[in-house]
Amino acid sequence: MQKDLGNYRKSYGKSALLEGSISDNPMELFQKWFYEVEAIQGLDEPNAMTLGTIGLDGFPKNRVVLLKKYTFEGFIFYTNYQSEKGRAIAADPNVCLSFFWPNMERQVIIKGRAEKIAENLSDGYFESRPEGSKLGAIVSNQSSVIPSREVLEADLKQLEREYSGKAIERPKFWGGYMVKPVSLEFWQGRPNRLHDRIRFSLQEDFDWKIERLAP
């Protein structure tokens, strides 16, 4: 089986990324870009991001997760701490996040360290979730092998009966991580593949070093 994709080409030219028009703080630029992406119609889940970890088997693994909050300190997402990604983070907290927004011809690549957030913050977010999502977090032994879809759905129905009329509390094995960045690279597509790449690197004095990279 083979398929030649050599003719898949696109010319980029919607915007530019120039040093004279950016903040000294990369989180301010991220917020500006995110607001602009949110305003574009036709892009589902602009908060979808790829999370890369180094697995216990030594291989890198990427998967899409949802950004649920960002602050000047970092980027927050939620998951099962006992999942494959959770165990990978426990062994090596150095991770990579990436956003790709094709409608704006933009990427952001973030290197940082993932840390569990405070339990009360995870409690607050869990409480805001729909009941079905709460029960889904409890019933799924995430990343483990299961015999069938039917078994999972039967377990969910049993939980629905158990929790009928009761408050659903966050399980201790589920919660949030904050990725605290040490590097953010902003990529803006440009004509002739001469793309703009601006990298912010965190220094020992907590200032950000700004550099332009060759495309």
Side-chain angles (χ1 to χ4, degrees), residues 5 18 33 40 48 53 83 85 88 92 110 133 153 159 169 171 182 189-190 200 206-207:
L5 304 178
L18 304 176
W33 273 22
I40 295 293
T53 59
S83 66
K85 71 177 86 66
D92 186 347
I110 301 154
S133 296
E153 292 180 347
L159 269 186
E169 295 185 356
V182 298
R190 297 296 301 274
F200 292 77
F206 299 105
D207 281 340

Side-chain angles (χ1 to χ4, degrees), residues 28-39:
E28 292 180 357
L29 179 55
F30 180 86
Q31 182 178 59
K32 177 179 182 293
W33 273 22
F34 196 86
Y35 284 167
E36 291 173 352
V37 169
E38 281 187 308

Side-chain angles (χ1 to χ4, degrees), residues 44 54 99 152:
D44 290 336
I54 300 298
F99 295 84
L152 186 64

Side-chain angles (χ1 to χ4, degrees), residues 106-147:
R106 289 173 175 173
Q107 293 186 73
V108 183
I109 301 172
I110 301 154
K111 295 178 183 179
R113 293 179 63 85
E115 301 176 1
K116 288 182 180 179
I117 64 174
E119 291 194 2
N120 66 307
L121 297 178
S122 290
D123 289 338
Y125 175 72
F126 190 81
E127 179 59 31
S128 75
R129 303 183 92 203
E131 184 173 291
S133 296
K134 293 178 182 178
L135 293 178
I138 295 172
V139 76
S140 175
N141 185 10
Q142 194 176 111
S143 302
S144 65
V145 176
I146 59 176

Side-chain angles (χ1 to χ4, degrees), residues 59-165:
F59 284 87
K61 183 172 181 178
N62 300 328
R63 77 286 283 164
V64 175
V65 299
L66 296 178
L67 177 67
K68 289 300 180 179
K69 186 175 183 178
Y70 62 89
T71 70
F72 275 106
E73 193 175 4
F75 303 84
I76 294 176
F77 69 95
Y78 294 86
T79 191
N80 186 316
Y81 290 142
Q82 298 172 1
S83 66
E84 185 178 12
K85 71 177 86 66
R87 288 181 279 116
I89 290 171
D92 186 347
N94 293 326
V95 303
C96 184
L97 304 175
S98 63
F99 295 84
F100 178 50
W101 296 312
N103 287 17
M104 298 291 289
E105 300 175 353
R106 289 173 175 173
Q107 293 186 73
V108 183
I109 301 172
I110 301 154
K111 295 178 183 179
R113 293 179 63 85
E115 301 176 1
K116 288 182 180 179
I117 64 174
E119 291 194 2
N120 66 307
L121 297 178
S122 290
D123 289 338
Y125 175 72
F126 190 81
E127 179 59 31
S128 75
R129 303 183 92 203
E131 184 173 291
S133 296
K134 293 178 182 178
L135 293 178
I138 295 172
V139 76
S140 175
N141 185 10
Q142 194 176 111
S143 302
S144 65
V145 176
I146 59 176
S148 68
R149 173 82 190 186
E150 289 73 21
V151 168
L152 186 64
E153 292 180 347
D155 289 346
L156 178 59
K157 290 185 181 298
Q158 177 62 31
L159 269 186
E160 289 173 344
R161 290 190 290 269
E162 290 179 15
Y163 280 96
S164 179

